[in-house]
Amino acid sequence: MSGDPWLRWLATAAFLAIAGYCVARLAAAHRAPDGYPGRHRAVDLAHVLMGVGMAAMASPVGGPLPQAGWLTVFLLLAVWFAGSWWRTRRIGRSETDDLGWHSGGGLHHAVGALAMLYMLAAMPHAGHDQSPWSAGHLEPGAALPALGWALVAYFLLASVLVIARTDWRTAPRAANIAAPPILRAPRLTATCEATMALGNGFLLLAMLS
């Protein structure tokens, strides 16, 4: 990824902050087992992996896995969320019943994982160095640019919809009073979701431009 180092480090810090927030949600989950079902855990785990992966792509030093490792991680995420979305459609159940629209649905997270796969597979590689800290460098000049620009438009639209549909003025009502506050913060969750979408678009733009 080209650009000013300070901008790359700022993006890295933002992605790692989101990953840390989702780790905190996972750590608090045992105190609200009924208000934090498995689908919520899967989304938070996906955000942890996506946040770390996006930080690796933005960071000047790369990440702690070689390219093949990241490809495996995001392929598994894409398959799992696509399967979850398809199963939800077959049983006629709305994903918002489980996750809430501000957390994103299975299809949205599958697209996010596929975007990461696209960035890893389509970006040019200089030297083919597979050392542990070289996995995430994005350079301009991606293959299949039309697909890349379509993903940029998708993530921009997704972030706008999250921001537009969030009530930023009224305090949210607690659906489960016994749950820890971090699990009852839809506005913070929406902020993270919008940031992740914008972050994906930012990384794609860095690779396409």
Short mmCIF file of all heavy atoms in Angstrom, two decimals, residues 20-65:
data_model
loop_
_atom_site.label_atom_id
_atom_site.label_comp_id
_atom_site.label_asym_id
_atom_site.label_seq_id
_atom_site.Cartn_x
_atom_site.Cartn_y
_atom_site.Cartn_z
N GLY A 20 -9.62 -4.85 18.65
CA GLY A 20 -9.58 -4.89 20.11
C GLY A 20 -10.95 -4.75 20.74
O GLY A 20 -11.26 -5.41 21.75
N TYR A 21 -11.78 -3.89 20.17
CA TYR A 21 -13.15 -3.74 20.67
C TYR A 21 -13.92 -5.05 20.56
O TYR A 21 -14.64 -5.45 21.49
CB TYR A 21 -13.85 -2.64 19.87
CG TYR A 21 -15.35 -2.60 20.03
CD1 TYR A 21 -15.94 -2.20 21.22
CD2 TYR A 21 -16.19 -2.97 18.97
CE1 TYR A 21 -17.32 -2.16 21.36
CE2 TYR A 21 -17.56 -2.93 19.10
CZ TYR A 21 -18.13 -2.53 20.30
OH TYR A 21 -19.49 -2.49 20.44
N CYS A 22 -13.75 -5.74 19.45
CA CYS A 22 -14.47 -7.01 19.27
C CYS A 22 -13.91 -8.10 20.17
O CYS A 22 -14.64 -8.99 20.62
CB CYS A 22 -14.42 -7.42 17.80
SG CYS A 22 -15.37 -6.31 16.73
N VAL A 23 -12.61 -8.06 20.45
CA VAL A 23 -12.04 -8.99 21.43
C VAL A 23 -12.67 -8.74 22.80
O VAL A 23 -13.00 -9.69 23.53
CB VAL A 23 -10.51 -8.84 21.50
CG1 VAL A 23 -9.95 -9.56 22.73
CG2 VAL A 23 -9.85 -9.38 20.24
N ALA A 24 -12.85 -7.47 23.15
CA ALA A 24 -13.49 -7.15 24.43
C ALA A 24 -14.94 -7.65 24.47
O ALA A 24 -15.41 -8.13 25.51
CB ALA A 24 -13.45 -5.63 24.67
N ARG A 25 -15.64 -7.56 23.36
CA ARG A 25 -17.00 -8.10 23.30
C ARG A 25 -17.00 -9.62 23.50
O ARG A 25 -17.83 -10.17 24.22
CB ARG A 25 -17.65 -7.75 21.96
CG ARG A 25 -18.10 -6.30 21.85
CD ARG A 25 -18.63 -5.99 20.45
NE ARG A 25 -19.71 -6.87 20.05
CZ ARG A 25 -21.00 -6.65 20.30
NH1 ARG A 25 -21.37 -5.55 20.95
NH2 ARG A 25 -21.94 -7.49 19.90
N LEU A 26 -16.07 -10.28 22.87
CA LEU A 26 -15.98 -11.73 23.04
C LEU A 26 -15.64 -12.10 24.48
O LEU A 26 -16.16 -13.07 25.03
CB LEU A 26 -14.91 -12.29 22.09
CG LEU A 26 -15.29 -12.30 20.61
CD1 LEU A 26 -14.06 -12.57 19.75
CD2 LEU A 26 -16.35 -13.34 20.33
N ALA A 27 -14.77 -11.30 25.10
CA ALA A 27 -14.40 -11.58 26.49
C ALA A 27 -15.57 -11.37 27.44
O ALA A 27 -15.66 -12.04 28.48
CB ALA A 27 -13.23 -10.68 26.90
N ALA A 28 -16.47 -10.44 27.09
CA ALA A 28 -17.63 -10.16 27.95
C ALA A 28 -18.81 -11.09 27.68
O ALA A 28 -19.79 -11.07 28.41
CB ALA A 28 -18.08 -8.71 27.76
N ALA A 29 -18.69 -11.94 26.67
CA ALA A 29 -19.83 -12.74 26.24
C ALA A 29 -20.30 -13.73 27.30
O ALA A 29 -21.49 -14.05 27.38
CB ALA A 29 -19.49 -13.49 24.96
N HIS A 30 -19.37 -14.22 28.13
CA HIS A 30 -19.76 -15.23 29.12
C HIS A 30 -20.70 -14.68 30.18
O HIS A 30 -21.37 -15.44 30.87
CB HIS A 30 -18.51 -15.81 29.79
CG HIS A 30 -17.84 -14.83 30.72
ND1 HIS A 30 -17.01 -13.82 30.27
CD2 HIS A 30 -17.87 -14.72 32.08
CE1 HIS A 30 -16.56 -13.13 31.29
NE2 HIS A 30 -17.07 -13.64 32.40
N ARG A 31 -20.78 -13.35 30.29
CA ARG A 31 -21.68 -12.74 31.27
C ARG A 31 -23.07 -12.52 30.72
O ARG A 31 -23.95 -12.06 31.44
CB ARG A 31 -21.09 -11.40 31.74
CG ARG A 31 -19.86 -11.56 32.61
CD ARG A 31 -19.38 -10.21 33.11
NE ARG A 31 -18.62 -9.50 32.09
CZ ARG A 31 -18.38 -8.19 32.12
NH1 ARG A 31 -18.88 -7.44 33.09
NH2 ARG A 31 -17.67 -7.61 31.17
N ALA A 32 -23.29 -12.84 29.45
CA ALA A 32 -24.62 -12.67 28.85
C ALA A 32 -24.84 -13.76 27.82
O ALA A 32 -25.01 -13.48 26.63
CB ALA A 32 -24.76 -11.30 28.22
N PRO A 33 -24.82 -15.03 28.23
CA PRO A 33 -24.95 -16.12 27.25
C PRO A 33 -26.25 -16.08 26.46
O PRO A 33 -26.28 -16.44 25.29
CB PRO A 33 -24.85 -17.39 28.11
CG PRO A 33 -25.25 -16.93 29.49
CD PRO A 33 -24.76 -15.52 29.60
N ASP A 34 -27.35 -15.64 27.08
CA ASP A 34 -28.63 -15.61 26.38
C ASP A 34 -28.75 -14.40 25.46
O ASP A 34 -29.49 -14.43 24.47
CB ASP A 34 -29.79 -15.60 27.38
CG ASP A 34 -29.85 -16.89 28.19
OD1 ASP A 34 -29.40 -17.93 27.66
OD2 ASP A 34 -30.32 -16.85 29.33
N GLY A 35 -28.04 -13.33 25.78
CA GLY A 35 -28.12 -12.12 24.98
C GLY A 35 -26.99 -11.98 23.98
O GLY A 35 -26.83 -10.93 23.36
N TYR A 36 -26.21 -13.03 23.83
CA TYR A 36 -25.07 -12.97 22.93
C TYR A 36 -24.90 -14.34 22.27
O TYR A 36 -24.00 -15.10 22.59
CB TYR A 36 -23.82 -12.61 23.73
CG TYR A 36 -22.62 -12.23 22.88
CD1 TYR A 36 -22.57 -10.99 22.25
CD2 TYR A 36 -21.54 -13.09 22.74
CE1 TYR A 36 -21.48 -10.64 21.49
CE2 TYR A 36 -20.44 -12.74 21.98
CZ TYR A 36 -20.41 -11.52 21.36
OH TYR A 36 -19.33 -11.16 20.60
N PRO A 37 -25.81 -14.69 21.35
CA PRO A 37 -25.81 -16.02 20.75
C PRO A 37 -24.63 -16.23 19.80
O PRO A 37 -23.84 -15.33 19.54
CB PRO A 37 -27.14 -16.06 19.98
CG PRO A 37 -27.44 -14.63 19.69
CD PRO A 37 -26.89 -13.84 20.86
N GLY A 38 -24.55 -17.44 19.29
CA GLY A 38 -23.41 -17.83 18.47
C GLY A 38 -23.18 -16.96 17.26
O GLY A 38 -22.04 -16.73 16.87
N ARG A 39 -24.25 -16.46 16.64
CA ARG A 39 -24.07 -15.64 15.45
C ARG A 39 -23.37 -14.33 15.80
O ARG A 39 -22.59 -13.80 15.01
CB ARG A 39 -25.42 -15.37 14.79
CG ARG A 39 -25.97 -16.61 14.08
CD ARG A 39 -27.38 -16.37 13.55
NE ARG A 39 -27.42 -15.30 12.57
CZ ARG A 39 -27.10 -15.44 11.29
NH1 ARG A 39 -26.67 -16.61 10.84
NH2 ARG A 39 -27.18 -14.43 10.46
N HIS A 40 -23.64 -13.78 16.97
CA HIS A 40 -22.92 -12.58 17.40
C HIS A 40 -21.44 -12.88 17.60
O HIS A 40 -20.57 -12.09 17.23
CB HIS A 40 -23.51 -12.05 18.71
CG HIS A 40 -24.85 -11.41 18.56
ND1 HIS A 40 -26.00 -12.14 18.36
CD2 HIS A 40 -25.22 -10.10 18.57
CE1 HIS A 40 -27.03 -11.31 18.27
NE2 HIS A 40 -26.59 -10.07 18.39
N ARG A 41 -21.14 -14.01 18.19
CA ARG A 41 -19.75 -14.40 18.39
C ARG A 41 -19.03 -14.54 17.05
O ARG A 41 -17.87 -14.12 16.91
CB ARG A 41 -19.68 -15.72 19.16
CG ARG A 41 -20.28 -15.67 20.56
CD ARG A 41 -20.33 -17.06 21.17
NE ARG A 41 -21.18 -17.08 22.34
CZ ARG A 41 -20.76 -16.89 23.58
NH1 ARG A 41 -19.48 -16.66 23.80
NH2 ARG A 41 -21.60 -16.92 24.60
N ALA A 42 -19.71 -15.13 16.07
CA ALA A 42 -19.10 -15.32 14.76
C ALA A 42 -18.79 -13.98 14.11
O ALA A 42 -17.72 -13.79 13.51
CB ALA A 42 -20.02 -16.15 13.87
N VAL A 43 -19.71 -13.02 14.22
CA VAL A 43 -19.49 -11.70 13.64
C VAL A 43 -18.32 -10.99 14.33
O VAL A 43 -17.45 -10.41 13.66
CB VAL A 43 -20.76 -10.85 13.72
CG1 VAL A 43 -20.46 -9.39 13.38
CG2 VAL A 43 -21.82 -11.39 12.76
N ASP A 44 -18.28 -11.05 15.65
CA ASP A 44 -17.18 -10.39 16.36
C ASP A 44 -15.85 -11.06 16.04
O ASP A 44 -14.82 -10.38 15.89
CB ASP A 44 -17.45 -10.40 17.87
CG ASP A 44 -18.43 -9.32 18.29
OD1 ASP A 44 -18.48 -8.28 17.61
OD2 ASP A 44 -19.13 -9.50 19.29
N LEU A 45 -15.84 -12.40 15.96
CA LEU A 45 -14.60 -13.09 15.59
C LEU A 45 -14.17 -12.70 14.18
O LEU A 45 -12.98 -12.48 13.92
CB LEU A 45 -14.80 -14.60 15.69
CG LEU A 45 -13.60 -15.46 15.29
CD1 LEU A 45 -12.39 -15.13 16.16
CD2 LEU A 45 -13.94 -16.95 15.39
N ALA A 46 -15.15 -12.59 13.27
CA ALA A 46 -14.82 -12.16 11.90
C ALA A 46 -14.24 -10.75 11.90
O ALA A 46 -13.28 -10.46 11.17
CB ALA A 46 -16.07 -12.21 11.03
N HIS A 47 -14.79 -9.86 12.73
CA HIS A 47 -14.26 -8.50 12.80
C HIS A 47 -12.85 -8.48 13.37
O HIS A 47 -12.03 -7.65 12.97
CB HIS A 47 -15.19 -7.63 13.65
CG HIS A 47 -16.41 -7.19 12.92
ND1 HIS A 47 -17.49 -6.60 13.55
CD2 HIS A 47 -16.74 -7.22 11.61
CE1 HIS A 47 -18.41 -6.31 12.66
NE2 HIS A 47 -17.98 -6.68 11.48
N VAL A 48 -12.56 -9.36 14.31
CA VAL A 48 -11.20 -9.45 14.83
C VAL A 48 -10.24 -9.84 13.71
O VAL A 48 -9.20 -9.20 13.50
CB VAL A 48 -11.12 -10.46 15.99
CG1 VAL A 48 -9.66 -10.72 16.38
CG2 VAL A 48 -11.89 -9.96 17.20
N LEU A 49 -10.59 -10.90 12.98
CA LEU A 49 -9.71 -11.37 11.90
C LEU A 49 -9.61 -10.34 10.78
O LEU A 49 -8.52 -10.10 10.24
CB LEU A 49 -10.25 -12.70 11.36
CG LEU A 49 -10.24 -13.86 12.35
CD1 LEU A 49 -10.94 -15.08 11.75
CD2 LEU A 49 -8.82 -14.22 12.76
N MET A 50 -10.75 -9.73 10.42
CA MET A 50 -10.73 -8.71 9.38
C MET A 50 -9.92 -7.50 9.82
O MET A 50 -9.14 -6.93 9.03
CB MET A 50 -12.16 -8.29 9.03
CG MET A 50 -12.99 -9.35 8.35
SD MET A 50 -12.62 -9.50 6.59
CE MET A 50 -13.32 -7.99 5.96
N GLY A 51 -10.10 -7.08 11.08
CA GLY A 51 -9.37 -5.93 11.57
C GLY A 51 -7.87 -6.15 11.55
O GLY A 51 -7.09 -5.28 11.13
N VAL A 52 -7.43 -7.33 11.99
CA VAL A 52 -6.00 -7.64 11.99
C VAL A 52 -5.48 -7.74 10.55
O VAL A 52 -4.40 -7.24 10.23
CB VAL A 52 -5.74 -8.95 12.76
CG1 VAL A 52 -4.28 -9.37 12.62
CG2 VAL A 52 -6.07 -8.76 14.24
N GLY A 53 -6.28 -8.38 9.68
CA GLY A 53 -5.85 -8.49 8.30
C GLY A 53 -5.76 -7.15 7.60
O GLY A 53 -4.81 -6.89 6.84
N MET A 54 -6.73 -6.28 7.84
CA MET A 54 -6.69 -4.95 7.23
C MET A 54 -5.55 -4.12 7.79
O MET A 54 -4.92 -3.34 7.07
CB MET A 54 -8.04 -4.26 7.44
CG MET A 54 -9.17 -4.92 6.65
SD MET A 54 -10.82 -4.42 7.19
CE MET A 54 -10.87 -2.73 6.60
N ALA A 55 -5.27 -4.29 9.10
CA ALA A 55 -4.13 -3.60 9.69
C ALA A 55 -2.83 -4.07 9.04
O ALA A 55 -1.92 -3.27 8.79
CB ALA A 55 -4.09 -3.84 11.20
N ALA A 56 -2.73 -5.36 8.77
CA ALA A 56 -1.53 -5.90 8.12
C ALA A 56 -1.36 -5.31 6.73
O ALA A 56 -0.24 -5.02 6.30
CB ALA A 56 -1.62 -7.42 8.05
N MET A 57 -2.47 -5.13 6.00
CA MET A 57 -2.38 -4.55 4.67
C MET A 57 -2.00 -3.08 4.70
O MET A 57 -1.27 -2.59 3.84
CB MET A 57 -3.71 -4.72 3.95
CG MET A 57 -4.00 -6.15 3.52
SD MET A 57 -5.53 -6.24 2.55
CE MET A 57 -5.50 -7.98 2.09
N ALA A 58 -2.50 -2.37 5.70
CA ALA A 58 -2.23 -0.93 5.78
C ALA A 58 -0.87 -0.64 6.38
O ALA A 58 -0.23 0.36 6.05
CB ALA A 58 -3.32 -0.24 6.60
N SER A 59 -0.40 -1.49 7.26
CA SER A 59 0.82 -1.23 8.01
C SER A 59 2.06 -1.23 7.13
O SER A 59 2.17 -2.05 6.20
CB SER A 59 0.98 -2.30 9.10
OG SER A 59 2.27 -2.24 9.67
N PRO A 60 3.01 -0.35 7.41
CA PRO A 60 4.27 -0.38 6.67
C PRO A 60 5.07 -1.64 6.89
O PRO A 60 5.98 -1.95 6.12
CB PRO A 60 5.02 0.85 7.21
CG PRO A 60 3.96 1.76 7.74
CD PRO A 60 2.89 0.83 8.28
N VAL A 61 4.78 -2.41 7.96
CA VAL A 61 5.57 -3.61 8.26
C VAL A 61 4.85 -4.90 7.91
O VAL A 61 5.37 -5.99 8.12
CB VAL A 61 5.98 -3.65 9.74
CG1 VAL A 61 6.85 -2.47 10.10
CG2 VAL A 61 4.75 -3.69 10.66
N GLY A 62 3.64 -4.82 7.37
CA GLY A 62 2.93 -6.04 7.00
C GLY A 62 2.26 -6.70 8.18
O GLY A 62 1.82 -6.03 9.11
N GLY A 63 2.16 -8.02 8.17
CA GLY A 63 1.44 -8.73 9.22
C GLY A 63 2.10 -10.03 9.61
O GLY A 63 3.08 -10.45 9.01
N PRO A 64 1.56 -10.70 10.62
CA PRO A 64 2.22 -11.88 11.19
C PRO A 64 1.94 -13.19 10.47
O PRO A 64 2.25 -14.25 10.99
CB PRO A 64 1.64 -11.92 12.61
CG PRO A 64 0.28 -11.34 12.45
CD PRO A 64 0.41 -10.28 11.41
N LEU A 65 1.33 -13.16 9.28
CA LEU A 65 1.08 -14.37 8.51
C LEU A 65 1.54 -14.16 7.08
O LEU A 65 1.43 -13.06 6.55
CB LEU A 65 -0.42 -14.71 8.50
CG LEU A 65 -1.03 -15.36 9.74
CD1 LEU A 65 -2.52 -15.55 9.52
CD2 LEU A 65 -0.38 -16.69 10.06
#
